Amino acid sequence: MWPLAICVLLSSCAYHFGSSNRSLPGGYTKVSVPIFKNSTGEVGVETYFTTAMIEELERHDLAEVTGEHDAQVELQGTIQNIRYERGAYQPIPSDTSSGGQPNPDLIPLGTALAKEYYISVSTEVKLVRRSDQKVLWSNTFNSRRQYPAPYITTIGLNSANALYNHSARLQNIATMAKEMMEQAHNHMTENF
């Protein structure tokens, strides 16, 4: 009796579990994904988002990713904004052992070292029918991520490793792109 009641309950639910009932809006099966537009000053990040979306489409196998001329619909994306913010920081006291004046071999008076940074990203994704350019689905996705700041370990060094910081930013943006495109794919293909 219990197994029958559970089956009836699950089949009557409006929400279906798994990806077997998922599809692109309109049931289209051929989609093209042009390079996302990048409206930010961060050069090259559009490839992270475009690649992440193509990987999501291919992983779920709900539609074939094709060239522009064979596609029924086009998945367009725009990276609207990338913002960096300093998180917690620590003021550095200066060494005043030399008669009340800061020691020039140490970090200058008034310097504060960031302990962390935040990256905020906003991306719009649209599914457009190629025959008449009608927007079938559209949504904006926002994400925020924290990463640790580089540490200063040498006396007399008053700037952090810029290469580390740039690399950390790009690694975090790539991770955010995967997470955001997974979320976009799930929202776009869910059927209730």
Side-chain angles (χ1 to χ4, degrees):
M1 167 124 171
W2 280 104
L4 179 61
I6 291 172
C7 287
V8 170
L9 180 63
L10 288 176
S11 65
S12 66
C13 254
Y15 185 80
H16 300 284
F17 296 101
S19 64
S20 61
N21 293 317
R22 290 181 174 267
S23 65
L24 291 178
Y28 294 100
T29 58
K30 293 187 177 186
V31 60
S32 67
V33 184
I35 297 287
F36 278 35
K37 293 179 184 170
N38 185 354
S39 300
T40 74
E42 193 70 57
V43 178
V45 296
E46 61 275 8
T47 58
Y48 297 135
F49 289 86
T50 307
T51 301
M53 180 51 79
I54 291 170
E55 287 173 355
E56 280 300 310
L57 290 165
E58 290 176 344
R59 184 167 63 99
H60 292 282
D61 200 28
L62 300 178
E64 179 185 356
V65 179
T66 67
E68 179 182 343
H69 298 295
D70 296 328
Q72 301 160 314
V73 290
E74 184 174 89
L75 195 57
Q76 301 172 355
T78 303
I79 305 152
Q80 298 174 320
N81 188 19
I82 296 178
R83 192 175 69 240
Y84 302 102
E85 302 169 49
R86 182 187 70 194
Y89 65 93
Q90 177 180 2
I92 302 299
S94 61
D95 179 9
T96 57
S97 62
S98 58
Q101 298 299 317
N103 186 334
D105 291 333
L106 298 176
I107 296 173
L109 180 64
T111 300
L113 297 180
K115 293 181 176 183
E116 62 190 12
Y117 291 103
Y118 290 93
I119 302 174
S120 299
V121 179
S122 179
T123 304
E124 180 186 35
V125 181
K126 294 190 284 190
L127 186 69
V128 179
R129 185 168 47 212
R130 288 192 30 81
S131 61
D132 60 1
Q133 297 302 304
K134 179 180 179 185
V135 176
L136 303 173
W137 176 87
S138 177
N139 207 337
T140 300
F141 298 91
N142 299 299
S143 182
R144 186 170 188 213
R145 189 174 180 92
Q146 179 267 337
Y147 72 95
Y151 292 101
I152 296 178
T153 58
T154 305
I155 292 177
L157 182 64
N158 63 6
S159 64
N161 185 337
L163 186 56
Y164 163 84
N165 199 30
H166 182 71
S167 177
R169 283 180 174 187
L170 293 180
Q171 286 177 345
N172 280 283
I173 291 171
T175 300
M176 293 169 79
K178 287 183 179 194
E179 293 168 352
M180 293 171 77
M181 293 306 98
E182 180 179 8
Q183 184 182 15
H185 181 273
N186 290 342
H187 281 262
M188 178 176 55
T189 62
E190 68 187 359
N191 292 325
F192 289 93

